[in-house]
Amino acid sequence: MATMTDVAKAAGVSIQTISAVINGKSGISAATRERVLRVIEELDYHPNMLASSLRSQRSTTIGVLVASITNPFFPGVVRGIEDAAQRNGYSVFLCNTDDDPAKQNSYLRLLRRHRVGGLIAASGTGSVDGQRIVEYLLDHGVPVVILGNRQGHPRMVALTVDDHIGGYDATAHLLDIGHRRIGIITGPPSHREAKERLEGYFAALRDRSIDADPDLVVPGAFSTAGGQAGAFQLMSLVAPPTAVVAANDLAAIGAIAVAKRLGKRVPEDVAVVGYDDIEMAALYDPPITTIAQPLYEMGTTALEAVLERTRDPKLEGGVITFPSRLIVRGSTVSANTSTHVAGT
Amino acid sequence: MATMTDVAKAAGVSIQTISAVINGKSGISAATRERVLRVIEELDYHPNMLASSLRSQRSTTIGVLVASITNPFFPGVVRGIEDAAQRNGYSVFLCNTDDDPAKQNSYLRLLRRHRVGGLIAASGTGSVDGQRIVEYLLDHGVPVVILGNRQGHPRMVALTVDDHIGGYDATAHLLDIGHRRIGIITGPPSHREAKERLEGYFAALRDRSIDADPDLVVPGAFSTAGGQAGAFQLMSLVAPPTAVVAANDLAAIGAIAVAKRLGKRVPEDVAVVGYDDIEMAALYDPPITTIAQPLYEMGTTALEAVLERTRDPKLEGGVITFPSRLIVRGSTVSANTSTHVAGT
DNA sequence: TTGTATGCGTTATCAC
DNA sequence: GTGATAACGCATACAA
């Protein structure tokens, strides 16, 4: 396995000329640069980043914590991180925490051993355990970006979407198309996201001077099962709603399934709005109206925030809020092409 | 940032005692081990794997190439890899190639620079470019595992499922429940998987002495769009099929959407079988009968194959074939609970 | 069990 | 532009 010294010898130059060429430093004539590059090619030389990072105390790897890579929410974010990392010559350590604090801690230790240059935690529920390690990283100049609006450290960056607005928009859309009895299947109250979406729901009703009916607010979960349970409860009412805001897209799918089973047509008899815009939302029958979060962009932004802070460690943290976006599909507005399945 | 020397000093022992404790080597008294561990804790010492790997020429990182992490097929595999890696103290560099040979090459170079201890390529279409680097890795004792049954190097391990059997089982299931005119929407003929599934389809018909009708074999793709196009073609026949084998689950979804649009009920008027058992298959309406591939297990097996070969570099490569499994759901067999949506 | 010395492949700092 | 030298943090061979 060729080393820098080998290349230097073969090219008849000094070892630090090689280093300069590789790291794109100035002060090398075009001729020697050319020759060095040719020798590198010939010898199939690949710089050893272990040695480089060890010596320079700089790392081009970052750790990415996700709750569950099989949850359709995360791959979108990871893809954004990944692409931005690739563009900048960074590599990504993927860590699947399964929302298990022990696992997360174990991963954080591992990342620490690898001397990652940054950390992005998209742990979903957000309970970032392993505080000590996270704080250690932050205190030692390693940037940390978290998805969700928790803070707690002046150098921590938090990425979030305004769930209040999302809940508002979902509800307002249903109001706009004529619905007056609108149910909501909420997520777990422990989640900030769920709470804020519910507040947005109430705000939208208030703005149209519609009294909120407590019966129309039912507990659910961020899952199909939660959506099914919530929908059952709503549909069992004496005066069931004509529209439903679901906790997220999975819950919307559960709700739609229940509605169909009860012989209701979607959206004619009951309209349903989801949240997240997972891939399945566009592919479902009917395609699901939803509040999209810019997952990919959140990923690229997260990585860029890390990069900025590796370059300038004095940069402060803060909260970056992303816009959500209503995407209207067949689950609220019937179209001739209600069975049309959009590709991705 | 504490180093081994710091720990050694604080514990009043030699530096290699620390090394021995960390690497779990024998020859250390319980008392000193205890003391060392306490000091490690106190000093918040984390071993530097960069230095360790550099010195020992052994790496505990592996590269994982996937075509697209947002394609539901891959997270299942990655999760398996990830879990097995975590159990063994390995870390995973995730690389999203987008099926772009240039990107793949760039990633392989990066992985080479990081001196990964192994490589798992789940690139989907499978055209592993960057042959030179892959061969380099293999020639230098770095294990490479590929998903798909390509070979080409005596030390390469290929993981595959028997797509012939999968195609056979899908078709046989439809025959078993009474269908005689069975259409098939094939994947791109360049894919070995697509070809083998088609052969399985023919074999199943042959075994029941049913003549294959060329009209019932239509080209498609591994996508919803491909499924839609194929279904249109099949449904336009004078004598349309009563059942369809789709290229994969996405294609099945496209096909079902088209069937519904044409006023056909699924499965009563036309039954559909998919392939892969992506999460959406169980959640769709109707839930989709499919051929499941053991994604998670393939992931863990891939990682274990890498590990075995890092331990014993003389181990040869070969092909490991996984069983596929028919999962019967509502898209072929109508049930009272045809709108039941299974959670995950 | 322990200490000493050397080297892994780079980067960085000098002086030339 | 070059050459010599030290250092990053750890592993290992060797002798004690």
Side-chain angles (χ1 to χ4, degrees):
Chain A
M1 176 172 331
T3 103
M4 259 192 173
T5 318
D6 299 333
V7 177
K9 269 183 198 147
V13 296
S14 74
I15 179 172
Q16 65 266 40
T17 304
I18 313 297
S19 180
V21 168
I22 286 172
N23 298 320
K25 295 198 174 158
S26 58
I28 306 286
S29 75
T32 56
R33 155 168 281 113
E34 199 65 27
R35 186 152 39 93
V36 167
L37 288 176
R38 210 177 45 242
V39 173
I40 285 178
E41 186 67 19
E42 275 168 18
L43 265 52
D44 197 27
Y45 166 70
H46 292 257
N48 186 331
M49 308 204 62
L50 268 44
S52 168
S53 293
L54 174 61
R55 171 62 233 218
S56 67
Q57 306 282 48
R58 267 179 272 109
S59 162
T60 56
T61 60
I62 69 157
V64 172
L65 255 44
V66 299
S68 164
I69 193 64
T70 51
N71 178 331
F73 181 90
F74 294 101
V77 178
V78 168
R79 188 190 188 90
I81 295 173
E82 183 62 31
D83 279 3
Q86 152 104 349
R87 275 198 298 276
N88 290 281
Y90 272 65
S91 301
V92 166
F93 280 121
L94 184 71
C95 307
N96 206 79
T97 67
D98 263 332
D99 261 335
D100 175 355
K103 232 171 156 180
Q104 192 175 48
N105 233 307
S106 156
Y107 267 125
L108 283 169
R109 260 204 311 279
L110 205 53
L111 293 175
R112 175 100 186 66
R113 288 151 97 108
H114 279 298
R115 300 296 189 265
V116 291
L119 173 68
I120 298 176
S123 312
T125 70
S127 78
V128 166
D129 205 47
Q131 279 299 346
R132 244 179 72 200
I133 292 184
V134 170
E135 272 167 24
Y136 181 98
L137 295 176
L138 285 164
D139 288 341
H140 286 70
V142 179
V144 176
V145 175
I146 295 209
L147 262 68
N149 72 358
R150 275 154 296 107
Q151 292 251 236
H153 191 108
R155 298 194 58 247
M156 183 184 285
V157 178
L159 261 50
T160 183
V161 301
D162 190 325
D163 287 278
H164 186 281
I165 294 181
Y168 186 100
D169 287 348
T171 313
H173 164 63
L174 293 171
L175 290 165
D176 284 346
I177 60 178
H179 293 279
R180 286 300 171 265
R181 274 191 77 70
I182 301 174
I184 182 166
I185 302 171
T186 65
S190 58
H191 278 59
R192 177 193 56 77
E193 290 85 353
K195 243 179 56 187
E196 289 188 6
R197 289 175 199 174
L198 183 58
E199 287 165 9
Y201 162 85
F202 285 129
L205 292 179
R206 206 164 39 238
D207 280 1
R208 314 283 175 123
S209 308
I210 296 179
D211 286 339
D213 180 345
D215 287 346
L216 293 180
V217 179
V218 303
F222 291 134
S223 64
T224 52
Q228 289 178 292
F232 266 125
Q233 191 173 337
L234 286 174
M235 298 306 162
S236 307
L237 294 175
V238 181
T242 64
V244 173
V245 176
N248 67 356
D249 289 338
L250 291 177
I253 287 169
I256 292 173
V258 165
K260 285 181 178 174
R261 198 183 323 170
L262 297 177
K264 303 220 177 200
R265 291 166 304 159
V266 179
E268 292 81 359
D269 299 327
V270 57
V272 178
V273 182
Y275 211 107
D276 285 349
D277 193 29
I278 63 177
E279 208 173 348
M280 206 188 315
L283 299 175
Y284 206 67
D285 175 25
I288 298 171
T289 294
T290 191
I291 304 290
Q293 310 195 43
L295 302 185
Y296 183 89
E297 193 193 344
M298 289 168 76
T300 57
T301 305
L303 190 105
E304 275 152 18
V306 166
L307 247 61
E308 275 178 18
R309 279 159 185 79
T310 61
R311 285 196 261 270
D312 181 2
K314 288 190 301 291
L315 278 178
E316 293 191 347
V319 177
I320 304 178
T321 303
F322 285 82
S324 57
R325 189 165 53 93
L326 173 73
I327 298 184
V328 178
R329 297 202 182 98
S331 70
T332 59
V333 176
S334 73
N336 318 352
T337 54
S338 74
T339 54
H340 169 75
V341 174
T344 41
Chain B
M1 176 175 327
T3 108
M4 256 191 172
T5 319
D6 300 334
V7 177
K9 270 182 195 147
V13 296
S14 74
I15 178 172
Q16 69 269 32
T17 305
I18 314 296
S19 179
V21 169
I22 287 172
N23 299 321
K25 296 200 173 156
S26 59
I28 306 288
S29 75
T32 57
R33 154 169 282 112
E34 199 65 27
R35 184 153 41 93
V36 167
L37 288 175
R38 209 176 46 240
V39 173
I40 285 179
E41 187 66 20
E42 275 169 17
L43 265 49
D44 196 26
Y45 166 71
H46 293 256
N48 186 332
M49 308 204 64
L50 267 43
S52 167
S53 293
L54 175 61
R55 168 63 230 223
S56 65
Q57 305 283 50
R58 267 179 272 108
S59 163
T60 56
T61 60
I62 68 155
V64 173
L65 254 43
V66 300
S68 164
I69 193 64
T70 51
N71 178 331
F73 182 91
F74 294 101
V77 178
V78 169
R79 188 190 189 88
I81 295 173
E82 184 57 35
D83 279 4
Q86 151 105 349
R87 275 198 298 275
N88 290 281
Y90 272 64
S91 302
V92 166
F93 279 121
L94 184 71
C95 306
N96 206 79
T97 66
D98 263 333
D99 261 335
D100 175 354
K103 234 172 154 178
Q104 192 175 52
N105 233 307
S106 156
Y107 268 125
L108 282 169
R109 262 204 310 280
L110 205 53
L111 293 175
R112 176 100 185 64
R113 288 152 97 109
H114 279 298
R115 301 295 189 266
V116 290
L119 174 69
I120 299 176
S123 311
T125 70
S127 79
V128 165
D129 206 47
Q131 281 298 346
R132 245 180 71 201
I133 292 184
V134 170
E135 272 166 25
Y136 182 97
L137 294 176
L138 285 164
D139 288 341
H140 287 70
V142 179
V144 175
V145 175
I146 294 209
L147 263 69
N149 71 357
R150 276 154 296 105
Q151 293 250 237
H153 192 108
R155 299 194 56 246
M156 184 185 283
V157 178
L159 262 49
T160 183
V161 302
D162 191 326
D163 287 278
H164 186 280
I165 294 181
Y168 186 100
D169 287 349
T171 312
H173 164 63
L174 293 170
L175 290 164
D176 284 347
I177 59 177
H179 293 280
R180 285 301 171 264
R181 274 190 76 69
I182 301 174
I184 182 166
I185 302 172
T186 65
S190 59
H191 279 60
R192 176 193 55 78
E193 290 85 352
K195 244 179 55 188
E196 288 188 6
R197 289 174 199 174
L198 183 57
E199 287 165 8
Y201 162 84
F202 285 129
L205 292 179
R206 207 165 37 239
D207 280 1
R208 313 285 174 119
S209 308
I210 295 179
D211 286 339
D213 181 345
D215 287 348
L216 293 180
V217 179
V218 302
F222 291 133
S223 64
T224 52
Q228 289 178 293
F232 265 125
Q233 191 171 338
L234 286 173
M235 298 306 161
S236 308
L237 293 175
V238 181
T242 64
V244 173
V245 176
N248 67 356
D249 288 339
L250 291 176
I253 288 169
I256 292 174
V258 165
K260 284 182 179 174
R261 198 182 324 170
L262 297 177
K264 305 219 176 201
R265 291 166 304 160
V266 178
E268 291 82 0
D269 300 325
V270 57
V272 178
V273 182
Y275 211 106
D276 283 351
D277 193 30
I278 63 176
E279 207 172 347
M280 207 186 317
L283 300 174
Y284 205 68
D285 174 25
I288 298 171
T289 294
T290 192
I291 304 291
Q293 311 194 42
L295 302 185
Y296 183 88
E297 193 192 344
M298 290 169 75
T300 57
T301 306
L303 190 106
E304 275 151 17
V306 166
L307 248 61
E308 276 178 17
R309 279 161 184 78
T310 61
R311 284 195 263 271
D312 181 2
K314 287 190 300 292
L315 278 178
E316 293 190 350
V319 177
I320 305 178
T321 303
F322 284 82
S324 56
R325 188 165 53 94
L326 174 73
I327 298 183
V328 178
R329 297 202 182 98
S331 70
T332 58
V333 177
S334 74
N336 317 353
T337 54
S338 75
T339 55
H340 170 74
V341 173
T344 40

